[in-house]
Amino acid sequence: MYVIGELINGMFSNVKKAIQAKEGQVIQELAKAQADAGASILDVNVGPATHDAVWGLLWLVENIRKVSDIPVAIDNAKWDVMQEVIPQVPGEKVINSSKADEDLLDKYIPLAVANNASLIALTIDQGGVPNDVDRRVEMAATILTKCAEHGLEMDKLFIDPIILPVNVA
């Protein structure tokens, strides 16, 4: 089982302040605490803390790398940001994430392969989160097929089935 630490996110006020003030010790302490608590991967997201997402993501990774070599999941929805950041991330890295859209998969999977990165792929498409198992399985099959076409090793793929809480259904 993989446990993803989600505390290094500019949506949280302490992380937002640390990014804006360039207080790396805050990020380093969060990275160490999550690793010590059993996180397998640290999710890294600048959120609204800076308009320069490339700089922000790389700054966060730089600070994490000062205290840990735990894999980092670069969490950003913008292709141009991901394309610029992933090649610059040292160590083990994960692209978080791609939807089960063939056009997106045709961009994100080659980026992962070229940079020895893993990929989190979501069972979601332009229509949103499917309400039935058959559609989710169909999306997962699309993801697997695209990964095979582009040469992404299966041990570098994480499929997120997007399980919704009962009160959302």
Side-chain angles (χ1 to χ4, degrees):
M1 173 169 56
Y2 285 92
V3 176
I4 300 177
E6 299 263 355
L7 297 179
I8 301 176
N9 187 320
M11 295 288 287
F12 299 125
S13 61
N14 62 331
V15 175
K16 182 177 182 177
K17 288 176 188 173
I19 293 168
Q20 292 171 342
K22 299 179 184 167
E23 294 174 352
Q25 185 177 358
V26 172
I27 305 309
Q28 293 165 21
E29 289 171 2
L30 284 169
K32 284 191 288 188
Q34 290 179 98
D36 291 347
S40 312
I41 299 169
L42 296 179
D43 190 72
V44 179
N45 186 327
V46 294
T50 179
H51 293 294
D52 187 348
V54 172
W55 170 84
L57 288 164
L58 293 173
W59 182 83
L60 289 170
V61 170
E62 176 186 334
N63 280 284
I64 292 166
R65 288 292 178 251
K66 288 179 180 177
V67 296
S68 178
D69 60 357
I70 193 168
V72 292
I74 304 302
D75 187 354
N76 189 281
K78 295 182 179 171
W79 164 248
D80 58 326
V81 171
M82 194 67 75
Q83 186 178 22
E84 190 170 342
V85 169
I86 287 296
Q88 297 183 62
V89 172
E92 225 178 310
K93 56 199 156 233
V94 180
I95 295 170
N96 185 14
S97 58
S98 177
K99 295 178 182 177
D101 172 273
E102 291 192 36
D103 292 336
L104 287 176
L105 291 168
D106 284 337
K107 292 180 357 183
Y108 281 90
I109 297 169
L111 181 65
V113 170
N115 291 281
N116 196 30
S118 295
L119 174 69
I120 297 172
L122 313 173
T123 56
I124 185 173
D125 62 11
Q126 295 115 340
V129 178
N131 287 326
D132 63 277
V133 172
D134 291 338
R135 182 67 183 128
R136 288 175 199 259
V137 170
E138 184 181 314
M139 288 181 188
T142 297
I143 293 165
L144 290 168
T145 300
K146 284 292 183 180
C147 286
E149 286 174 10
H150 290 289
L152 183 70
E153 298 173 24
M154 290 299 116
D155 65 346
K156 291 202 170 275
L157 174 64
F158 300 92
I159 296 179
D160 184 341
I162 311 291
I163 304 301
L164 299 173
V166 173
N167 65 345
V168 174

